[in-house]
Amino acid sequence: AEKVLGYDLLSLCLEGPRDELDRTQHCQPAVTRLMFGLGSVSVQVVESCVAAAGYSVGEFAALVFAGALSFAEALYAVKVRAEAMQKASEAVPSGMLSVIGRREANYKFACLEARRHCESLGIENPVCAISNYLFPDSRVIAGHLQALEFLQENARKYYFTRTKMLPVSGAFHTRLMEPAVEPLAEVLKSIEIQKPLVCVYSNVDGKKYMHSKHIQKLLVKQVVSPVMWEQTMHSVYERKQGTEFPYTYEVGPGKQLGAILKKCNLKAWKQYNHVDALEDEEAAET
């Protein structure tokens, strides 16, 4: 990883500074590297795997797991992606707002009014849109900071029960990330992409990748498209009534995707397990 990235990732993770680690240009490669630690998942589980999916940058890890990308090339692509997204983030004051709403909540209408508010402030072509579909009644909205502040101030009007600014530096998965599209597209053209050995589901539409060109196209589109994670969960776990659900393993730091699965499909969640890649590597060293 150090050879690919050109800096000491381990030292940055262990010693910081925290501000540098939190920057998306460093955070994305760090999280991706952790997700590659699959040692705790037994060979039997890997051989019987029926599907894989990764949230946002985690999609690269899912594709490495499925044999579509090599570790080094995927990490290099993530490096280019992260640096380009960092640069795009610094161009416009923007961010992401996690929202939980009541059933009456109309997220798209709220975004429309937030954009109109920005226009009244003199902001041209303001951005405020759903960037992540998490689970029923939960979305992440991203865009100009003024739009997000407007939504927080008017949360009750739009039936939002909870809003929280996320600790990120930009409006990821919106058109504000368009400057990152070309650099990622170029690097993906130079990478050999294989057909996945197991089904991998895309963030862009919640459907299975079909072939290498499909992967190349949608990995680029993902940067400026909302993450359809709730829809992906429905696609992955759709089955005839009475059919058993597979075991699900979340690999990497945190159990956020397990919590989302519980909200999307309680029966599937009962077969959920968490694999902490860092703990696995520490165990291997001892």
Side-chain angles (χ1 to χ4, degrees):
E2 185 176 341
K3 288 179 183 177
V4 171
L5 297 172
Y7 58 86
D8 188 346
L9 180 63
L10 179 61
S11 175
L12 182 61
C13 288
L14 297 178
E15 301 170 15
R18 178 63 182 266
D19 288 348
E20 281 299 304
L21 186 58
D22 282 346
R23 288 168 64 85
T24 196
Q25 70 183 76
H26 296 138
C27 183
Q28 286 190 37
V31 171
T32 305
R33 172 59 191 88
L34 279 174
M35 288 186 288
F36 286 145
L38 293 167
S40 287
V41 183
S42 71
V43 174
Q44 182 182 356
V45 169
V46 174
E47 289 180 345
S48 62
C49 183
V50 294
Y55 184 91
S56 190
V57 72
E59 202 159 301
F60 286 86
L63 288 164
V64 170
F65 171 79
L69 299 173
S70 73
F71 165 73
E73 289 184 324
L75 191 60
Y76 181 68
V78 169
K79 176 182 185 289
V80 171
R81 178 186 190 269
E83 290 174 351
M85 290 173 71
Q86 180 70 48
K87 190 174 180 180
S89 298
E90 291 169 356
V92 177
S94 58
M96 303 180 80
L97 182 71
S98 175
V99 177
I100 294 179
R102 288 160 54 183
R103 294 198 174 181
E104 309 95 296
N106 188 328
Y107 302 95
K108 291 184 178 180
F109 176 70
C111 289
L112 173 63
E113 293 214 325
R115 290 195 297 272
R116 287 174 176 167
H117 168 73
C118 287
E119 289 171 349
S120 74
L121 299 177
I123 298 172
E124 295 183 7
N125 299 317
V127 172
C128 183
I130 298 171
S131 62
N132 305 72
Y133 290 82
L134 300 179
F135 55 85
D137 304 322
S138 180
R139 307 281 186 271
V140 174
I141 295 173
H144 282 80
L145 286 179
Q146 295 91 332
L148 304 183
E149 289 165 359
F150 172 83
L151 291 178
Q152 283 190 295
E153 291 168 5
N154 295 275
R156 184 174 295 181
K157 175 183 176 181
Y158 302 116
Y159 301 103
F160 297 164
T161 56
R162 193 182 79 184
T163 60
K164 182 182 179 182
M165 288 295 296
L166 298 179
V168 296
S169 56
F172 305 142
H173 302 291
T174 71
R175 62 180 173 83
L176 287 177
M177 291 296 110
E178 282 179 357
V181 165
E182 188 174 342
L184 180 59
E186 286 301 311
V187 75
L188 287 174
K189 286 177 186 176
S190 67
I191 288 176
E192 186 176 358
I193 303 175
Q194 306 289 340
K195 184 177 179 179
L197 299 174
V198 297
C199 295
V200 179
Y201 287 77
S202 168
N203 285 184
V204 173
D205 56 12
K207 298 178 181 178
K208 300 172 188 175
Y209 280 119
M210 304 305 294
H211 47 74
S212 59
K213 288 291 185 184
H214 193 210
I215 294 171
Q216 181 182 318
K217 178 183 177 181
L218 292 191
L219 280 180
V220 173
K221 190 175 180 180
Q222 188 228 59
V223 172
V224 291
S225 301
V227 174
M228 312 291 277
W229 194 254
E230 180 184 346
Q231 294 84 342
T232 300
M233 292 296 92
H234 293 317
S235 296
V236 170
Y237 296 102
E238 183 180 14
R239 59 217 336 101
K240 292 180 180 178
Q241 193 167 357
T243 306
E244 288 188 6
F245 287 97
Y247 287 101
T248 297
Y249 294 90
E250 178 178 0
V251 180
K255 301 179 181 180
Q256 293 92 334
L257 299 184
I260 292 174
L261 175 58
K262 187 176 182 180
K263 296 282 188 180
C264 291
N265 191 320
L266 182 59
K267 289 182 178 179
W269 173 80
K270 289 178 179 178
Q271 302 280 50
Y272 163 86
N273 294 276
H274 176 246
V275 179
D276 191 312
L278 190 59
E279 286 179 4
D280 174 51
E281 290 184 357
E282 288 173 351
E285 289 171 4
T286 56

